[in-house]
Structures are given as C-alpha cells and as structure tokens.
Amino acid sequence: EELGGVAASSDPAKVKQELQIVRELYNQAKAIDVDSKAEQLREFVDGVLAEDPDEKVLIFTEYTDTLEYLRDEVFADHDVAQVYGDLEQSRRRDEMNKFEEKANLMLATDAAQEGLNLQFAHIMVNYELPWNPNRWEQRIGRIHRYGQDKEVKVWNFQFAGTREGEIF
C-alpha cells in the first residue's frame, strides 16, 4: 500500500522515498527464514523417493532464479539434472541423459516444455504455474506421450488466496 502511494517521478524526494520503501521490502523478504512452499516441495519429493529410490520427478519452474534456488538451497544434497533457456544443446542432451540414467530430479524452465521426450518419468510438479493453461499442457506432454506405460501424475503447487491460486 505504501509503495502504491509513491509514484516514480523526477522529484528527488519521491524517488528517495520509493527507494527507501523498496529497501525495506527487500530486507523483510531476506529476513524470511522459512520458505514453506519449498519445504512442502522437499517433503513431497522425499516422500516419493522414500517409496521408490529410483523414481524420477520432473519439476517445472517459471524462472531460472527459482530453478537455481531449488537446486542450490532446497535440493543441494541431490544429484539434480537441469534444463533452462541459456543451456547449449550439447549440455541440454547431457542433462537429459543424466536425468534418465542417474539423477532422480530434473529442474526445468519452460525451455524443456517442447520437443523433449521424458516418458521414462511419470511424476511432474508445477512449482510455479504458468499464466497460460496451454503451457501446462505442453509441460505435461513431456511425460504423457505415446509409449508411456505408467500413470502420469501431475502436482500443481499453489497457495489459495494468492494470484497463483486465482490462476489455478
């Protein structure tokens, strides 16, 4: 609400006030110790792997920053494959092979939503939901393909009462 009352302008006093509000919001965000959504994702993945240590879980994020956070903070103790937009084709193939052969988890942005055959997996998580439902369908299409011999299961992580919940 405070930020909404301060419009970006050429007035130095207003710019300074806006900058102070943004700094305060940034500090509040950095002070959050627990990311409950990431904790729930970790609990979900740990539960899946406890049932079957060879299971494969494909996790989609919207942003590379989120992918890096999940890789480095939430799943730092896992061997994780990853596909994102800036990855060269040769590295992308290496990551695909890693996921198929040894890694239990693949973190991916929508760079992995088209053209990749991941039907050796059948569990997918949308950690962040795309705004367009067609993109959900494209993501699901990575594992729900001709020749898939297992029931495909898709989980959409979202919180009620948020913009993400409204989209869902």
mmCIF file of all heavy atoms in Angstrom, residues 141-161:
data_model
loop_
_atom_site.group_PDB
_atom_site.id
_atom_site.type_symbol
_atom_site.label_atom_id
_atom_site.label_comp_id
_atom_site.label_asym_id
_atom_site.label_seq_id
_atom_site.Cartn_x
_atom_site.Cartn_y
_atom_site.Cartn_z
ATOM 1 N N GLY A 141 2.974 -32.772 -21.612
ATOM 2 C CA GLY A 141 3.332 -33.531 -22.805
ATOM 3 C C GLY A 141 4.750 -34.073 -22.810
ATOM 4 O O GLY A 141 5.080 -34.965 -23.598
ATOM 5 N N ARG A 142 5.618 -33.598 -21.932
ATOM 6 C CA ARG A 142 6.988 -34.139 -21.854
ATOM 7 C C ARG A 142 6.979 -35.567 -21.312
ATOM 8 O O ARG A 142 7.834 -36.364 -21.652
ATOM 9 C CB ARG A 142 7.885 -33.279 -20.963
ATOM 10 C CG ARG A 142 8.119 -31.847 -21.374
ATOM 11 C CD ARG A 142 8.505 -31.648 -22.840
ATOM 12 N NE ARG A 142 7.311 -31.418 -23.622
ATOM 13 C CZ ARG A 142 7.008 -32.036 -24.777
ATOM 14 N NH1 ARG A 142 7.818 -32.881 -25.318
ATOM 15 N NH2 ARG A 142 5.894 -31.798 -25.412
ATOM 16 N N ILE A 143 6.020 -35.874 -20.452
ATOM 17 C CA ILE A 143 5.988 -37.220 -19.854
ATOM 18 C C ILE A 143 4.769 -38.022 -20.279
ATOM 19 O O ILE A 143 4.782 -39.243 -20.212
ATOM 20 C CB ILE A 143 6.069 -37.153 -18.308
ATOM 21 C CG1 ILE A 143 4.909 -36.373 -17.701
ATOM 22 C CG2 ILE A 143 7.399 -36.562 -17.879
ATOM 23 C CD1 ILE A 143 4.881 -36.359 -16.181
ATOM 24 N N HIS A 144 3.701 -37.352 -20.698
ATOM 25 C CA HIS A 144 2.479 -38.042 -21.121
ATOM 26 C C HIS A 144 2.503 -38.153 -22.639
ATOM 27 O O HIS A 144 1.993 -37.306 -23.358
ATOM 28 C CB HIS A 144 1.246 -37.264 -20.645
ATOM 29 C CG HIS A 144 -0.016 -38.042 -20.797
ATOM 30 N ND1 HIS A 144 -0.895 -37.831 -21.821
ATOM 31 C CD2 HIS A 144 -0.529 -39.041 -20.041
ATOM 32 C CE1 HIS A 144 -1.914 -38.671 -21.701
ATOM 33 N NE2 HIS A 144 -1.711 -39.411 -20.638
ATOM 34 N N ARG A 145 3.163 -39.207 -23.124
ATOM 35 C CA ARG A 145 3.417 -39.393 -24.548
ATOM 36 C C ARG A 145 3.046 -40.804 -24.954
ATOM 37 O O ARG A 145 2.889 -41.684 -24.115
ATOM 38 C CB ARG A 145 4.905 -39.182 -24.853
ATOM 39 C CG ARG A 145 5.450 -37.849 -24.390
ATOM 40 C CD ARG A 145 6.951 -37.759 -24.551
ATOM 41 N NE ARG A 145 7.383 -37.665 -25.939
ATOM 42 C CZ ARG A 145 7.456 -36.534 -26.616
ATOM 43 N NH1 ARG A 145 7.106 -35.397 -26.043
ATOM 44 N NH2 ARG A 145 7.864 -36.524 -27.864
ATOM 45 N N TYR A 146 2.951 -41.012 -26.268
ATOM 46 C CA TYR A 146 2.752 -42.379 -26.764
ATOM 47 C C TYR A 146 3.888 -43.244 -26.245
ATOM 48 O O TYR A 146 5.047 -42.853 -26.279
ATOM 49 C CB TYR A 146 2.738 -42.413 -28.299
ATOM 50 C CG TYR A 146 1.518 -41.768 -28.889
ATOM 51 C CD1 TYR A 146 1.619 -40.596 -29.618
ATOM 52 C CD2 TYR A 146 0.261 -42.327 -28.706
ATOM 53 C CE1 TYR A 146 0.499 -39.989 -30.159
ATOM 54 C CE2 TYR A 146 -0.866 -41.727 -29.233
ATOM 55 C CZ TYR A 146 -0.731 -40.563 -29.965
ATOM 56 O OH TYR A 146 -1.847 -39.969 -30.490
ATOM 57 N N GLY A 147 3.543 -44.395 -25.741
ATOM 58 C CA GLY A 147 4.541 -45.302 -25.201
ATOM 59 C C GLY A 147 4.702 -45.205 -23.692
ATOM 60 O O GLY A 147 5.374 -46.032 -23.097
ATOM 61 N N GLN A 148 4.077 -44.202 -23.063
ATOM 62 C CA GLN A 148 4.148 -44.091 -21.607
ATOM 63 C C GLN A 148 3.379 -45.260 -21.007
ATOM 64 O O GLN A 148 2.216 -45.464 -21.310
ATOM 65 C CB GLN A 148 3.544 -42.761 -21.145
ATOM 66 C CG GLN A 148 3.463 -42.570 -19.642
ATOM 67 C CD GLN A 148 4.794 -42.607 -18.930
ATOM 68 O OE1 GLN A 148 5.220 -43.684 -18.495
ATOM 69 N NE2 GLN A 148 5.446 -41.480 -18.822
ATOM 70 N N ASP A 149 4.054 -46.065 -20.191
ATOM 71 C CA ASP A 149 3.407 -47.262 -19.651
ATOM 72 C C ASP A 149 3.001 -47.123 -18.186
ATOM 73 O O ASP A 149 2.527 -48.071 -17.581
ATOM 74 C CB ASP A 149 4.285 -48.492 -19.865
ATOM 75 C CG ASP A 149 5.655 -48.363 -19.217
ATOM 76 O OD1 ASP A 149 5.967 -47.288 -18.655
ATOM 77 O OD2 ASP A 149 6.425 -49.340 -19.282
ATOM 78 N N LYS A 150 3.173 -45.923 -17.615
ATOM 79 C CA LYS A 150 2.771 -45.684 -16.235
ATOM 80 C C LYS A 150 1.729 -44.574 -16.187
ATOM 81 O O LYS A 150 1.624 -43.762 -17.105
ATOM 82 C CB LYS A 150 3.979 -45.281 -15.384
ATOM 83 C CG LYS A 150 5.009 -46.375 -15.243
ATOM 84 C CD LYS A 150 6.127 -45.932 -14.348
ATOM 85 C CE LYS A 150 7.142 -47.056 -14.203
ATOM 86 N NZ LYS A 150 8.264 -46.644 -13.380
ATOM 87 N N GLU A 151 0.978 -44.550 -15.104
ATOM 88 C CA GLU A 151 0.018 -43.466 -14.907
ATOM 89 C C GLU A 151 0.784 -42.170 -14.638
ATOM 90 O O GLU A 151 1.634 -42.107 -13.756
ATOM 91 C CB GLU A 151 -0.893 -43.779 -13.710
ATOM 92 C CG GLU A 151 -1.892 -42.698 -13.421
ATOM 93 C CD GLU A 151 -2.731 -42.990 -12.190
ATOM 94 O OE1 GLU A 151 -2.500 -44.000 -11.503
ATOM 95 O OE2 GLU A 151 -3.626 -42.178 -11.919
ATOM 96 N N VAL A 152 0.500 -41.154 -15.425
ATOM 97 C CA VAL A 152 1.148 -39.862 -15.259
ATOM 98 C C VAL A 152 0.474 -39.109 -14.119
ATOM 99 O O VAL A 152 -0.752 -39.035 -14.059
ATOM 100 C CB VAL A 152 1.084 -39.053 -16.573
ATOM 101 C CG1 VAL A 152 1.553 -37.622 -16.357
ATOM 102 C CG2 VAL A 152 1.909 -39.731 -17.649
ATOM 103 N N LYS A 153 1.285 -38.571 -13.217
ATOM 104 C CA LYS A 153 0.770 -37.826 -12.069
ATOM 105 C C LYS A 153 1.377 -36.433 -12.089
ATOM 106 O O LYS A 153 2.593 -36.283 -12.183
ATOM 107 C CB LYS A 153 1.120 -38.548 -10.769
ATOM 108 C CG LYS A 153 0.478 -39.925 -10.688
ATOM 109 C CD LYS A 153 0.847 -40.634 -9.425
ATOM 110 C CE LYS A 153 0.207 -42.020 -9.408
ATOM 111 N NZ LYS A 153 0.576 -42.760 -8.216
ATOM 112 N N VAL A 154 0.513 -35.430 -11.989
ATOM 113 C CA VAL A 154 0.941 -34.037 -12.039
ATOM 114 C C VAL A 154 0.460 -33.331 -10.776
ATOM 115 O O VAL A 154 -0.721 -33.410 -10.432
ATOM 116 C CB VAL A 154 0.383 -33.322 -13.287
ATOM 117 C CG1 VAL A 154 0.799 -31.856 -13.307
ATOM 118 C CG2 VAL A 154 0.825 -34.034 -14.561
ATOM 119 N N TRP A 155 1.377 -32.640 -10.097
ATOM 120 C CA TRP A 155 1.039 -31.844 -8.925
ATOM 121 C C TRP A 155 1.292 -30.391 -9.252
ATOM 122 O O TRP A 155 2.332 -30.045 -9.812
ATOM 123 C CB TRP A 155 1.890 -32.249 -7.718
ATOM 124 C CG TRP A 155 1.366 -33.446 -7.015
ATOM 125 C CD1 TRP A 155 0.545 -33.463 -5.931
ATOM 126 C CD2 TRP A 155 1.602 -34.820 -7.354
ATOM 127 N NE1 TRP A 155 0.253 -34.766 -5.581
ATOM 128 C CE2 TRP A 155 0.901 -35.611 -6.447
ATOM 129 C CE3 TRP A 155 2.334 -35.456 -8.350
ATOM 130 C CZ2 TRP A 155 0.906 -36.992 -6.485
ATOM 131 C CZ3 TRP A 155 2.345 -36.834 -8.394
ATOM 132 C CH2 TRP A 155 1.635 -37.587 -7.464
ATOM 133 N N ASN A 156 0.338 -29.539 -8.893
ATOM 134 C CA ASN A 156 0.466 -28.100 -9.073
ATOM 135 C C ASN A 156 0.574 -27.461 -7.698
ATOM 136 O O ASN A 156 -0.389 -27.480 -6.938
ATOM 137 C CB ASN A 156 -0.749 -27.538 -9.823
ATOM 138 C CG ASN A 156 -0.852 -28.093 -11.218
ATOM 139 O OD1 ASN A 156 0.080 -28.011 -11.998
ATOM 140 N ND2 ASN A 156 -1.995 -28.682 -11.534
ATOM 141 N N PHE A 157 1.746 -26.932 -7.375
ATOM 142 C CA PHE A 157 1.958 -26.284 -6.090
ATOM 143 C C PHE A 157 1.467 -24.843 -6.188
ATOM 144 O O PHE A 157 1.937 -24.072 -7.031
ATOM 145 C CB PHE A 157 3.442 -26.293 -5.716
ATOM 146 C CG PHE A 157 3.873 -27.542 -5.022
ATOM 147 C CD1 PHE A 157 3.803 -28.771 -5.655
ATOM 148 C CD2 PHE A 157 4.335 -27.495 -3.725
ATOM 149 C CE1 PHE A 157 4.182 -29.927 -5.017
ATOM 150 C CE2 PHE A 157 4.727 -28.646 -3.071
ATOM 151 C CZ PHE A 157 4.646 -29.870 -3.715
ATOM 152 N N GLN A 158 0.513 -24.490 -5.336
ATOM 153 C CA GLN A 158 -0.009 -23.130 -5.305
ATOM 154 C C GLN A 158 -0.674 -22.900 -3.959
ATOM 155 O O GLN A 158 -1.025 -23.844 -3.274
ATOM 156 C CB GLN A 158 -0.987 -22.890 -6.457
ATOM 157 C CG GLN A 158 -2.110 -23.890 -6.588
ATOM 158 C CD GLN A 158 -3.336 -23.570 -5.749
ATOM 159 O OE1 GLN A 158 -3.564 -22.431 -5.380
ATOM 160 N NE2 GLN A 158 -4.123 -24.568 -5.436
ATOM 161 N N PHE A 159 -0.782 -21.650 -3.600
ATOM 162 C CA PHE A 159 -1.414 -21.280 -2.352
ATOM 163 C C PHE A 159 -2.734 -20.589 -2.623
ATOM 164 O O PHE A 159 -2.806 -19.675 -3.451
ATOM 165 C CB PHE A 159 -0.511 -20.345 -1.528
ATOM 166 C CG PHE A 159 0.675 -21.052 -0.922
ATOM 167 C CD1 PHE A 159 1.959 -20.795 -1.374
ATOM 168 C CD2 PHE A 159 0.501 -21.968 0.096
ATOM 169 C CE1 PHE A 159 3.040 -21.443 -0.820
ATOM 170 C CE2 PHE A 159 1.584 -22.626 0.660
ATOM 171 C CZ PHE A 159 2.853 -22.362 0.203
ATOM 172 N N ALA A 160 -3.767 -21.018 -1.900
ATOM 173 C CA ALA A 160 -5.071 -20.364 -2.006
ATOM 174 C C ALA A 160 -4.937 -18.933 -1.505
ATOM 175 O O ALA A 160 -4.119 -18.633 -0.629
ATOM 176 C CB ALA A 160 -6.096 -21.122 -1.177
ATOM 177 N N GLY A 161 -5.723 -18.046 -2.083
ATOM 178 C CA GLY A 161 -5.702 -16.661 -1.640
ATOM 179 C C GLY A 161 -4.558 -15.848 -2.234
ATOM 180 O O GLY A 161 -4.321 -14.720 -1.814
#
